[in-house]
Amino acid sequence: MTQTPKKTIKHLEIRTYRRLAHIYLDNQSDVEDLLADLDLSVTEFDLLALVHATDGLAQQDVAAGMLVSAPNVTYHVQKLSQRGLLERRSEGKFKRLHLTELGKARIEQALPRVVEHHQRQFSGLSREEVQLLNQLLLRVKRDRDRRAKTQKRQVAEAL
């Protein structure tokens, strides 16, 4: 038997974080289900969508646009390359990523599904509210990144 907590967490910041985390986890599961018949994970979809948006993207730049580490990106690039969806080309000191024809077809099947899912996800909000939410989350992310950069600099200076 499961129990529902009797009290809510009193700290607004913790409640807000937990709400974001629950939405993220639920959404990941929903998108995995949407992509199952295309044999794509959410991470693979994200990677293909980034390369679709910016053909010839340097592999080292992909991790910055994704929610996974650089070694994880390398793993997925290799996996997608083996499946014939992605191609890596050496251009100078960079490995540039390009979709194959099969990769283009796959992302063009997947993209409308995911876009429609996200549109439904935010359908209870007006366009202006979605834009405001996006701007607020961007501010939170930039502030977090700024604090992390400052902290790294302070640690380096202390050494």
Side-chain angles (χ1 to χ4, degrees):
M1 182 167 86
T2 61
Q3 277 188 308
T4 304
K6 293 180 175 41
K7 293 183 178 180
T8 60
I9 296 170
K10 75 177 188 174
H11 300 285
L12 175 62
E13 295 79 4
I14 294 174
R15 286 196 323 264
T16 303
Y17 167 78
R18 289 177 52 80
R19 190 161 288 129
L20 279 171
H22 281 280
I23 290 168
Y24 170 77
L25 293 172
D26 291 345
N27 190 59
Q28 287 291 98
S29 177
D30 293 344
V31 174
E32 288 283 349
D33 292 345
L34 284 173
L35 299 174
D37 67 314
L38 297 177
D39 193 30
L40 288 176
S41 70
V42 172
T43 302
E44 292 167 340
F45 167 81
D46 285 345
L47 202 157
L48 292 176
L50 276 172
V51 175
H52 183 259
T54 308
D55 188 54
L57 190 63
Q59 184 171 332
Q60 68 188 38
D61 295 333
V62 171
M66 295 185 62
L67 299 175
V68 296
S69 65
N72 205 333
V73 168
T74 300
Y75 168 80
H76 286 287
V77 165
Q78 290 172 345
K79 192 172 162 187
L80 290 167
S81 295
Q82 290 168 353
R83 290 168 47 199
L85 300 173
L86 198 61
E87 183 178 280
R88 285 186 339 178
R89 296 183 203 150
S90 292
E91 294 179 19
K93 61 180 181 175
F94 297 106
K95 297 278 188 204
R96 301 231 175 246
L97 303 178
H98 302 272
L99 294 177
T100 64
E101 289 304 314
L102 183 60
K104 287 177 190 173
R106 188 71 50 90
I107 196 63
E108 288 170 6
Q109 286 178 294
L111 203 50
R113 295 178 188 188
V114 176
V115 168
E116 183 180 323
H117 168 74
H118 289 308
Q119 287 171 336
R120 278 192 316 269
Q121 178 180 2
F122 294 109
S123 65
L125 301 176
S126 70
R127 190 73 180 156
E128 293 78 21
E129 288 171 326
V130 174
Q131 288 173 339
L132 178 59
L133 177 59
N134 187 50
Q135 290 168 355
L136 292 171
L137 291 172
L138 183 59
R139 276 180 44 197
V140 169
K141 172 76 169 110
R142 285 180 178 158
D143 187 54
R144 184 230 172 263
D145 291 348
R146 182 187 50 75
R147 285 191 321 274
K149 191 175 185 178
T150 300
Q151 186 178 14
K152 284 181 185 178
R153 189 180 67 241
Q154 288 170 343
V155 168
E157 289 171 357
L159 297 177

